[in-house]
Amino acid sequence: MPEGDTVWRTARRLHSALAGRVLTRSDLRVPRFATADLTGRAVLDVTPRGKHLLTRFDGGLTLHSHLRMDGSWQVYATGERWRGGPTHQIRAILGNAEQTAVGYRLPVLELIRTADEHDAVGHLGPDLLGPDWDPAEAVRRLTADPARPLGEALLDQRNLAGIGNVYKSELAFLAAVTPWLPVGELPSGVPERLVATARRLLDANKDRPERRTTTTRHPAHPLYVYGREKRPCLRCGAPIRKAELGERVSYWCPGCQRGPSD
């Protein structure tokens, strides 16, 4: 599931393939921008912002994309067969003489002026993997609404940018509280530790092919609770539970985590 670490890794791969090179192929397969042609423009850089991707071109244009649940960008060498999905799922093609980037199932794809990037990503909170990371501001935003459930507050990209459903469940477990506990009821010091842990985990996982939140004591189990419904908790042995939190699912351990269960 694409979260801040996945998007950071995707941006690095796209930057390596495209930056500093002139496009010889451009195809945006969304109605609003179907006639836009970026051929002949040089790619300046590809920058992640939370879970958003900004591909900048000379001439002051930026391609803004978001992967959401199952979007992806794949990079292929010239002549290599594309394997990211059926043709009808392709939303963007950016190619140069050596490599081609293909965007599949992209729910957000828009061509904007680079000067207007703030309109697309200016609402985001401090980026967990970005140069603007500010832990104190992240804590302030996370705890601004004391009645809000922790899980909702963690998923709100206006608080801190980069956390998705996997990290939401894992961070709540590591804080020993359920995702439904109001942030105002978090014990003293826990919001600061949550934010610091989020930063540490995303930074550690941005270079890994497999996301891991567990320690080396559990080499066969990369995650504590996410996706482990009915399996024994790695710490206390209680069966992991699963429930809805808004439009998302949450996983938690009834033995290790205190607070409301839904």
Side-chain angles (χ1 to χ4, degrees), residues 13 22-23 30 39 69 71 77 89 92 100 115 121 128 131 144 162 186 230 245 249:
R13 189 167 66 250
V22 173
L23 292 182
V30 292
T39 303
M69 297 295 287
Q89 292 183 348
T100 301
V121 297
L128 283 154
L186 290 170
K230 299 180 180 178
L245 176 63
V249 296

mmCIF file of all heavy atoms in Angstrom, residues 13 22-23 30 39 69 71 77 89 92 100 115 121 128 131 144 162 186 230 245 249:
data_model
loop_
_atom_site.group_PDB
_atom_site.id
_atom_site.type_symbol
_atom_site.label_atom_id
_atom_site.label_comp_id
_atom_site.label_asym_id
_atom_site.label_seq_id
_atom_site.Cartn_x
_atom_site.Cartn_y
_atom_site.Cartn_z
ATOM 1 N N ARG A 13 13.231 6.775 -7.896
ATOM 2 C CA ARG A 13 13.349 5.973 -9.119
ATOM 3 C C ARG A 13 13.006 6.804 -10.362
ATOM 4 O O ARG A 13 13.698 6.734 -11.389
ATOM 5 C CB ARG A 13 12.428 4.757 -9.015
ATOM 6 C CG ARG A 13 12.618 3.742 -10.127
ATOM 7 C CD ARG A 13 11.919 2.445 -9.811
ATOM 8 N NE ARG A 13 10.472 2.597 -9.775
ATOM 9 C CZ ARG A 13 9.720 2.530 -8.682
ATOM 10 N NH1 ARG A 13 10.286 2.324 -7.507
ATOM 11 N NH2 ARG A 13 8.413 2.671 -8.753
ATOM 12 N N VAL A 22 15.688 15.109 -21.782
ATOM 13 C CA VAL A 22 14.596 15.691 -22.556
ATOM 14 C C VAL A 22 13.604 14.600 -22.934
ATOM 15 O O VAL A 22 13.993 13.498 -23.345
ATOM 16 C CB VAL A 22 15.136 16.379 -23.828
ATOM 17 C CG1 VAL A 22 13.991 16.844 -24.727
ATOM 18 C CG2 VAL A 22 16.025 17.552 -23.449
ATOM 19 N N LEU A 23 12.320 14.901 -22.781
ATOM 20 C CA LEU A 23 11.294 13.921 -23.123
ATOM 21 C C LEU A 23 11.175 13.754 -24.635
ATOM 22 O O LEU A 23 11.099 14.728 -25.378
ATOM 23 C CB LEU A 23 9.934 14.353 -22.568
ATOM 24 C CG LEU A 23 9.755 14.359 -21.047
ATOM 25 C CD1 LEU A 23 8.332 14.766 -20.695
ATOM 26 C CD2 LEU A 23 10.076 12.994 -20.448
ATOM 27 N N VAL A 30 -5.725 11.384 -19.457
ATOM 28 C CA VAL A 30 -6.870 11.865 -18.686
ATOM 29 C C VAL A 30 -7.522 12.949 -19.532
ATOM 30 O O VAL A 30 -6.824 13.731 -20.193
ATOM 31 C CB VAL A 30 -6.449 12.401 -17.300
ATOM 32 C CG1 VAL A 30 -5.942 11.274 -16.408
ATOM 33 C CG2 VAL A 30 -5.394 13.488 -17.423
ATOM 34 N N THR A 39 6.570 16.750 -24.847
ATOM 35 C CA THR A 39 7.719 16.340 -25.654
ATOM 36 C C THR A 39 8.641 17.536 -25.918
ATOM 37 O O THR A 39 8.172 18.633 -26.246
ATOM 38 C CB THR A 39 7.255 15.754 -26.992
ATOM 39 O OG1 THR A 39 6.378 14.659 -26.741
ATOM 40 C CG2 THR A 39 8.438 15.267 -27.806
ATOM 41 N N MET A 69 -4.612 4.330 -3.259
ATOM 42 C CA MET A 69 -4.587 2.943 -2.784
ATOM 43 C C MET A 69 -3.764 2.010 -3.672
ATOM 44 O O MET A 69 -3.011 1.180 -3.176
ATOM 45 C CB MET A 69 -6.021 2.416 -2.664
ATOM 46 C CG MET A 69 -6.862 3.157 -1.643
ATOM 47 S SD MET A 69 -6.274 2.958 0.048
ATOM 48 C CE MET A 69 -6.761 1.261 0.355
ATOM 49 N N GLY A 71 -2.382 3.010 -7.114
ATOM 50 C CA GLY A 71 -1.661 3.572 -8.242
ATOM 51 C C GLY A 71 -0.182 3.253 -8.168
ATOM 52 O O GLY A 71 0.356 2.912 -7.110
ATOM 53 N N ALA A 77 13.246 0.194 -19.330
ATOM 54 C CA ALA A 77 14.265 0.536 -20.316
ATOM 55 C C ALA A 77 13.642 0.520 -21.704
ATOM 56 O O ALA A 77 12.629 -0.153 -21.945
ATOM 57 C CB ALA A 77 15.417 -0.462 -20.243
ATOM 58 N N GLN A 89 -5.340 0.742 -18.076
ATOM 59 C CA GLN A 89 -5.054 1.335 -16.762
ATOM 60 C C GLN A 89 -3.942 2.384 -16.798
ATOM 61 O O GLN A 89 -3.674 3.034 -15.799
ATOM 62 C CB GLN A 89 -4.675 0.233 -15.769
ATOM 63 C CG GLN A 89 -5.821 -0.704 -15.422
ATOM 64 C CD GLN A 89 -5.423 -1.735 -14.384
ATOM 65 O OE1 GLN A 89 -4.241 -1.908 -14.072
ATOM 66 N NE2 GLN A 89 -6.402 -2.436 -13.835
ATOM 67 N N ALA A 92 -0.437 7.790 -17.695
ATOM 68 C CA ALA A 92 0.617 8.714 -18.122
ATOM 69 C C ALA A 92 1.820 7.953 -18.638
ATOM 70 O O ALA A 92 2.155 6.877 -18.123
ATOM 71 C CB ALA A 92 1.034 9.620 -16.963
ATOM 72 N N THR A 100 11.521 4.837 -19.944
ATOM 73 C CA THR A 100 10.144 5.311 -20.006
ATOM 74 C C THR A 100 9.472 5.076 -18.671
ATOM 75 O O THR A 100 9.534 3.976 -18.112
ATOM 76 C CB THR A 100 9.352 4.574 -21.111
ATOM 77 O OG1 THR A 100 9.993 4.792 -22.374
ATOM 78 C CG2 THR A 100 7.917 5.079 -21.177
ATOM 79 N N ALA A 115 4.635 27.352 -10.300
ATOM 80 C CA ALA A 115 4.374 28.437 -9.353
ATOM 81 C C ALA A 115 3.103 28.205 -8.549
ATOM 82 O O ALA A 115 2.910 28.831 -7.499
ATOM 83 C CB ALA A 115 4.274 29.764 -10.108
ATOM 84 N N VAL A 121 -0.453 21.078 -2.911
ATOM 85 C CA VAL A 121 0.132 20.416 -1.737
ATOM 86 C C VAL A 121 0.338 21.352 -0.548
ATOM 87 O O VAL A 121 0.865 20.947 0.485
ATOM 88 C CB VAL A 121 1.474 19.742 -2.094
ATOM 89 C CG1 VAL A 121 1.280 18.644 -3.126
ATOM 90 C CG2 VAL A 121 2.491 20.774 -2.597
ATOM 91 N N LEU A 128 7.062 13.949 6.744
ATOM 92 C CA LEU A 128 7.894 13.055 7.544
ATOM 93 C C LEU A 128 9.242 12.750 6.902
ATOM 94 O O LEU A 128 10.216 12.465 7.600
ATOM 95 C CB LEU A 128 7.140 11.750 7.808
ATOM 96 C CG LEU A 128 6.056 11.849 8.879
ATOM 97 C CD1 LEU A 128 4.977 10.800 8.657
ATOM 98 C CD2 LEU A 128 6.662 11.706 10.263
ATOM 99 N N PRO A 131 12.377 18.010 3.702
ATOM 100 C CA PRO A 131 13.280 18.982 4.324
ATOM 101 C C PRO A 131 12.563 19.935 5.275
ATOM 102 O O PRO A 131 13.213 20.621 6.066
ATOM 103 C CB PRO A 131 13.872 19.738 3.118
ATOM 104 C CG PRO A 131 12.849 19.575 2.031
ATOM 105 C CD PRO A 131 12.251 18.218 2.244
ATOM 106 N N ALA A 144 -4.371 19.046 18.019
ATOM 107 C CA ALA A 144 -5.165 20.277 18.003
ATOM 108 C C ALA A 144 -6.628 20.043 18.350
ATOM 109 O O ALA A 144 -7.286 20.912 18.925
ATOM 110 C CB ALA A 144 -5.049 20.950 16.643
ATOM 111 N N GLY A 162 2.409 11.758 5.072
ATOM 112 C CA GLY A 162 3.113 10.531 4.734
ATOM 113 C C GLY A 162 2.569 9.280 5.372
ATOM 114 O O GLY A 162 2.911 8.166 4.976
ATOM 115 N N LEU A 186 -4.294 10.835 25.258
ATOM 116 C CA LEU A 186 -2.966 10.211 25.188
ATOM 117 C C LEU A 186 -2.151 10.606 26.417
ATOM 118 O O LEU A 186 -2.161 11.768 26.829
ATOM 119 C CB LEU A 186 -2.234 10.649 23.920
ATOM 120 C CG LEU A 186 -2.761 10.113 22.593
ATOM 121 C CD1 LEU A 186 -2.083 10.827 21.429
ATOM 122 C CD2 LEU A 186 -2.537 8.612 22.489
ATOM 123 N N LYS A 230 -6.775 -12.190 13.742
ATOM 124 C CA LYS A 230 -6.938 -13.507 14.356
ATOM 125 C C LYS A 230 -5.610 -14.224 14.634
ATOM 126 O O LYS A 230 -5.617 -15.294 15.252
ATOM 127 C CB LYS A 230 -7.855 -14.410 13.531
ATOM 128 C CG LYS A 230 -9.268 -13.869 13.383
ATOM 129 C CD LYS A 230 -10.133 -14.807 12.569
ATOM 130 C CE LYS A 230 -11.553 -14.263 12.426
ATOM 131 N NZ LYS A 230 -12.415 -15.128 11.611
ATOM 132 N N LEU A 245 -12.637 1.845 10.684
ATOM 133 C CA LEU A 245 -12.421 3.179 11.233
ATOM 134 C C LEU A 245 -12.696 4.140 10.090
ATOM 135 O O LEU A 245 -11.849 4.382 9.240
ATOM 136 C CB LEU A 245 -11.006 3.369 11.756
ATOM 137 C CG LEU A 245 -10.653 4.776 12.265
ATOM 138 C CD1 LEU A 245 -11.521 5.145 13.457
ATOM 139 C CD2 LEU A 245 -9.183 4.877 12.650
ATOM 140 N N VAL A 249 -9.835 0.222 7.445
ATOM 141 C CA VAL A 249 -9.829 -0.806 8.480
ATOM 142 C C VAL A 249 -8.700 -0.510 9.463
ATOM 143 O O VAL A 249 -7.705 0.138 9.113
ATOM 144 C CB VAL A 249 -9.640 -2.217 7.882
ATOM 145 C CG1 VAL A 249 -10.811 -2.573 6.991
ATOM 146 C CG2 VAL A 249 -8.324 -2.323 7.131
#
